[in-house]
Amino acid sequence: MSAVLRADALPAATDAAAASRPRRMTRLTLRGLRKSFQAMTALHALELDSEPGEFISLLGPSGCGKTTTLRCVAGFEQPDEGAVLLDGEDITGLPPERRDIGMVFQNYALFPHLTVRRNLAFGLEMRGMPRAEMARRIDAVLAMVQLADKAERYPRQLSGGQQQRVALARALVIEPRLLLLDEPLANLDAVLREDMRVFIRELQQRVGITTLYVTHDQAEAMVMSDRVAVMLGGRLQQFDRPEAIYLRPRSADVARFIGRSNLIEGRVQAMQPAAGAYLRYRVETPLGPVEADHDQPLAPGAPVQVAIRPEAIHFDGAGPYQGVVHTSYFLGSSVEHNVQCGTGQALLVQTAPGRRLATGAASGMRFEPGHAWIVAELVQ
């Protein structure tokens, strides 16, 4: 599947057709969006600014407000307060059909009684487009999603991945200002989902359309996005590049939600010599002294939490932190060890399968200072 679904392998004619159309480099802005459903507040004054042509993922667990945000942008929900702007134009009060937005739903929402070509033609016919221009656009987009040979088939004659690409083509054929995708890969199997997320990302970069993507899948968000908006409890917790979200979470809640993380409480002792772009501190913890980075000044004695990812910790007999393996679990590409340290601190350590330690094994541990990040000051 991977060898077939690659946007960089499109025919040269498709590239030329795509290049002949204007790129829709739209800036999306959300200003103070609030939305409640009876006694439940779904969105708390959400603020977000995209760059033109950017791929943004709204990432969070069920009930965090990400789909509500998408529906407010699409016009299917009206916010109680705030505004949705495209290139500075307030579209908050416009109905969905007047927003010039393409949307791909989780269930694809294809018309079962229409062929692929007719599914794509529907939105263009509603806009009164001339037949010649309609045919040109449909042919170009079908080639773009590699379904030109399936144009006369019905949705029931297509695989799940092919139906997903039809839904994507139908959203793109109208050449919208903004593309919205609501967990479009949720119904696909794991292997096809991995292929499709790469395909969608490469296609989005080729077309150059600003995209807002809703997902609860962290791997999807990391692979596909220019920036990720982490949402928890209806609030935007952090909006940053995937690498920053993972390596430099802004709060303990983000550190817990994104991947696995060791959170260790401690107190700042002193600032260490400068380490690259960040400030480095010596923090006293139950493990002993830890060197950890942060991007803000911290006072000596301040209570903090330090986040260390499990894969950043290595077993080393001469390491400064000592512990005993309580349990270990084989996960295929890695082994996860639960380690109890003599100080009472528990650590999660992830290694390659060949580095697995048996239950009851004692070992030292180490990690490079640049892999320890202060996520938050604690309130005393």
Side-chain angles (χ1 to χ4, degrees), residues 161-194:
Q162 289 168 342
Q163 290 182 39
Q164 197 273 344
R165 282 186 279 156
V166 174
L168 184 60
R170 189 176 61 181
L172 289 174
V173 76
I174 63 173
E175 297 184 1
R177 299 170 70 184
L178 180 70
L179 179 63
L180 307 179
L181 300 103
D182 187 9
E183 302 202 56
L185 308 184
N187 296 325
L188 303 180
D189 65 66
V191 174
L192 182 55
R193 190 161 61 242
E194 290 183 8

Side-chain angles (χ1 to χ4, degrees), residues 60-320:
S62 297
C64 73
K66 56 187 186 296
T67 296
T68 299
T69 301
L70 199 76
R71 290 178 63 82
C72 286
V73 174
F76 300 132
E77 297 285 355
Q78 278 295 308
D80 301 327
E81 297 179 25
V84 178
L85 300 94
L86 293 183
D87 291 331
E89 174 192 355
D90 190 340
I91 64 168
T92 313
L94 294 180
E97 65 272 15
R98 292 183 55 197
R99 296 194 178 202
D100 196 12
I101 289 174
M103 187 160 181
V104 178
F105 298 91
Q106 183 174 335
N107 64 359
Y108 312 144
L110 301 177
F111 297 115
H113 62 292
L114 298 181
T115 64
V116 169
R117 181 175 293 278
R118 296 290 299 139
N119 263 278
L120 268 61
F122 182 83
L124 301 178
E125 290 172 346
M126 295 295 290
R127 288 164 171 76
M129 181 169 292
R131 290 189 177 277
E133 173 62 14
M134 189 186 309
R136 184 193 69 79
R137 284 202 195 183
I138 291 172
D139 288 342
V141 172
L142 284 175
M144 196 180 298
V145 298
Q146 302 178 17
L147 287 174
D149 60 335
K150 306 292 191 297
E152 303 308 322
R153 293 193 182 183
Y154 291 89
R156 65 180 180 274
Q157 298 173 309
L158 302 175
S159 68
Q162 289 168 342
Q163 290 182 39
Q164 197 273 344
R165 282 186 279 156
V166 174
L168 184 60
R170 189 176 61 181
L172 289 174
V173 76
I174 63 173
E175 297 184 1
R177 299 170 70 184
L178 180 70
L179 179 63
L180 307 179
L181 300 103
D182 187 9
E183 302 202 56
L185 308 184
N187 296 325
L188 303 180
D189 65 66
V191 174
L192 182 55
R193 190 161 61 242
E194 290 183 8
D195 288 342
M196 286 304 305
R197 68 193 186 196
V198 174
F199 180 81
I200 290 174
R201 174 55 169 158
E202 291 180 347
L203 183 59
Q204 183 269 339
Q205 289 180 308
R206 184 170 295 259
V207 175
I209 188 171
T210 305
T211 300
L212 194 62
Y213 187 97
V214 163
T215 183
H216 66 273
D217 188 304
Q218 297 176 23
E220 274 183 22
M222 294 293 170
V223 167
M224 301 175 74
S225 311
D226 293 305
R227 284 190 291 173
V228 177
V230 180
M231 298 184 66
L232 299 171
R235 301 180 189 275
L236 180 60
Q237 299 287 326
Q238 187 169 350
F239 183 36
D240 214 330
R241 295 178 298 105
E243 296 88 344
I245 295 284
Y246 187 80
L247 298 174
R248 296 181 290 280
R250 305 303 309 172
S251 69
D253 286 339
V254 173
R256 290 189 191 97
F257 177 70
I258 301 295
R260 307 293 299 277
S261 192
N262 295 289
L263 289 171
I264 305 168
E265 295 188 6
R267 287 187 179 273
V268 174
Q269 284 190 321
M271 185 181 293
Q272 301 292 88
Y278 303 106
L279 302 173
R280 180 159 293 174
Y281 295 90
R282 181 184 175 90
V283 180
E284 187 58 44
T285 76
L287 287 176
V290 169
E291 290 188 7
D293 294 346
H294 199 51
D295 56 1
Q296 300 293 327
L298 298 172
V304 297
Q305 284 185 297
V306 177
I308 307 170
R309 295 294 181 183
E311 67 273 14
I313 303 174
H314 306 284
F315 289 122
D316 181 345

